[in-house]
Amino acid sequence: MQTYYMNHIRELESESIFVIREVAAQFDNPVLLFSGGKDSIIMLHLAVKAFRPAIMPFTILHIDTGHNFPETLEYRDNLMKKLGLKLVVGSVQKSIDDGRAFSEQGPNQSRNVLQSVTLLDTIAEYGFDCALGGGRRDEEKARAKERFFSHRDDFGQWDPKNQRPELWNLFNGRKRKGEHFRVFPLSNWTELDIWQYAMLENIEMPVLYYTHKRECVRRNGVILAKSDYISLLDGEEWENLQIRFRTIGDMSCTGASISDANTLEEIILEVAASRITERGGRADDKTSETSMEDRKKEGYF
């Protein structure tokens, strides 16, 4: 990796570690959100590095939709065991069973939006006053509006027009009782930065990110992997495709990309040449022009 890019990546690393340490300094009971995707893996790596050799002072929280890729759950459990971290799992299925959330119906059903209810309930149950998330500004236009420290009211709602200034890396974590913050240490990273850092730090990534063959269906410009949560529509058929995933989420809405990339170097080259964002294949983001912003206002990541 060229010296310029190494310096750039190390500057991002330093900035993120500074933000993570600010969270530890300003909040009483912070939690780190972990999805098993590349961004949360990098954020966790940075958090461990920020406090080494001491134990990282954050609980880990995974919101389980019940529609996760099995590979994601296996990676999550192995990593938690390896690092010896405390994991809390919030269950979307439990939220549905308790009548707190209602599952979508139809061929394009997704549980992504239901995560907001489970997340807010789990935050309230454990009294978390700050949740670290792996969101990046380059991912999607709603996320581009986020500050590092994102205030949430006592309903867990986000107001994009009422954010606090962050001049000279001064972060204001003041809150009233019942309010909390979402903090995004990777705000200034890009997808390419994530992969370059993974290679630089030799971080093991889930197998889903590398090319493999899988039965898929093409639907509305999105390639969806075969699962128990997807039924074929009239005229559709399963195809055995060589794909990889650029983002990992709910199996019912996470799109794959045709790819031959089987190493970190090949992924970096592919991402550098791509003109489609990583969320361009997410079916849930295609619901409307403001789908992500609407979900974030209701408490989504």
Side-chain angles (χ1 to χ4, degrees):
M1 195 180 296
Q2 295 180 9
T3 302
Y4 167 79
Y5 289 108
M6 284 189 63
N7 291 340
H8 169 68
I9 295 300
R10 290 306 183 195
E11 287 174 2
L12 288 173
E13 176 191 59
S14 178
E15 178 184 63
S16 297
I17 286 177
F18 175 77
V19 173
I20 289 168
R21 288 173 175 165
E22 277 292 302
V23 169
Q26 293 197 39
F27 298 97
D28 298 320
N29 189 21
V31 66
L32 188 147
L33 302 176
F34 186 83
S35 67
K38 63 185 183 303
D39 300 319
S40 62
I41 292 169
I42 296 298
M43 182 173 62
L44 177 57
H45 178 87
L46 290 164
V48 170
K49 195 170 186 177
F51 301 100
R52 188 181 293 155
I55 298 174
M56 185 189 67
F58 305 138
T59 299
I60 310 300
L61 171 60
H62 179 221
I63 301 301
D64 184 357
T65 65
H67 289 178
N68 291 291
F69 288 92
E71 296 92 335
T72 302
L73 299 181
E74 180 181 2
Y75 179 93
R76 178 201 70 184
D77 293 341
N78 289 340
L79 185 60
M80 295 302 115
K81 183 178 180 180
K82 175 183 176 182
L83 297 176
L85 298 174
K86 178 184 177 183
L87 175 68
V88 171
V89 178
S91 170
V92 171
Q93 185 60 55
K94 184 178 184 301
S95 297
I96 295 171
D97 294 342
D98 292 345
R100 294 280 297 146
F102 300 93
S103 184
E104 295 179 359
Q105 303 298 317
N108 297 313
Q109 61 177 289
S110 168
R111 288 189 172 185
N112 253 15
V113 69
L114 305 187
Q115 294 181 82
S116 301
V117 173
T118 307
L119 175 61
L120 293 175
D121 285 351
T122 307
I123 286 174
E125 178 183 354
Y126 287 88
F128 296 128
D129 57 355
C130 174
L132 289 142
R136 308 186 327 265
R137 290 174 179 148
D138 78 315
E139 285 183 89
E140 201 272 343
K141 58 187 178 183
R143 284 183 168 162
K145 299 178 182 179
E146 289 277 21
R147 303 287 171 87
F148 279 103
F149 275 42
S150 181
H151 174 264
R152 304 298 168 107
D153 65 20
D154 48 1
F155 292 101
Q157 296 174 324
W158 171 65
D159 182 358
K161 296 181 180 179
N162 185 28
Q163 297 203 65
R164 298 172 181 180
E166 293 180 344
L167 304 175
W168 305 291
N169 287 335
L170 297 175
F171 303 115
N172 183 354
R174 289 188 177 184
K175 62 188 184 318
R176 297 186 180 92
K177 185 177 180 180
E179 300 175 342
H180 72 277
F181 273 78
R182 307 284 173 83
V183 174
F184 302 99
L186 304 181
S187 290
N188 288 334
W189 295 57
T190 66
E191 182 186 9
L192 186 59
D193 295 330
I194 292 292
W195 287 112
Q196 289 178 327
Y197 187 72
M199 186 171 70
L200 186 62
E201 293 283 292
N202 194 28
I203 299 172
E204 180 184 355
M205 303 299 274
V207 297
L208 291 169
Y209 284 119
Y210 300 96
T211 186
H212 58 285
K213 286 194 174 182
R214 188 182 290 255
E215 285 193 277
C216 303
V217 63
R218 301 175 191 260
R219 178 177 298 171
N220 299 325
V222 177
I223 299 174
L224 298 173
K226 186 176 183 179
S227 72
D228 294 337
Y229 319 114
I230 297 176
S231 300
L232 292 178
L233 304 178
D234 290 342
E236 291 182 341
E237 60 181 19
W238 298 115
E239 300 179 65
N240 198 22
L241 301 175
Q242 185 160 304
I243 54 110
R244 76 174 190 89
F245 294 91
R246 291 176 67 184
T247 178
I248 298 175
D250 190 319
M251 289 185 73
S252 63
C253 64
T254 301
S257 301
I258 303 295
S259 175
D260 295 320
N262 203 31
T263 65
L264 287 175
E265 292 88 346
E266 290 173 349
I267 289 174
I268 288 170
L269 290 173
E270 183 180 272
V271 171
S274 177
R275 293 297 175 264
I276 300 174
T277 67
E278 64 199 280
R279 296 192 67 94
R282 288 291 291 265
D284 55 325
D285 285 351
K286 299 178 182 294
T287 304
S288 74
E289 286 292 323
T290 61
S291 55
M292 173 62 80
E293 183 161 330
D294 292 341
R295 293 201 302 272
K296 287 178 70 64
K297 288 179 180 177
E298 295 173 0
Y300 189 72
F301 309 112

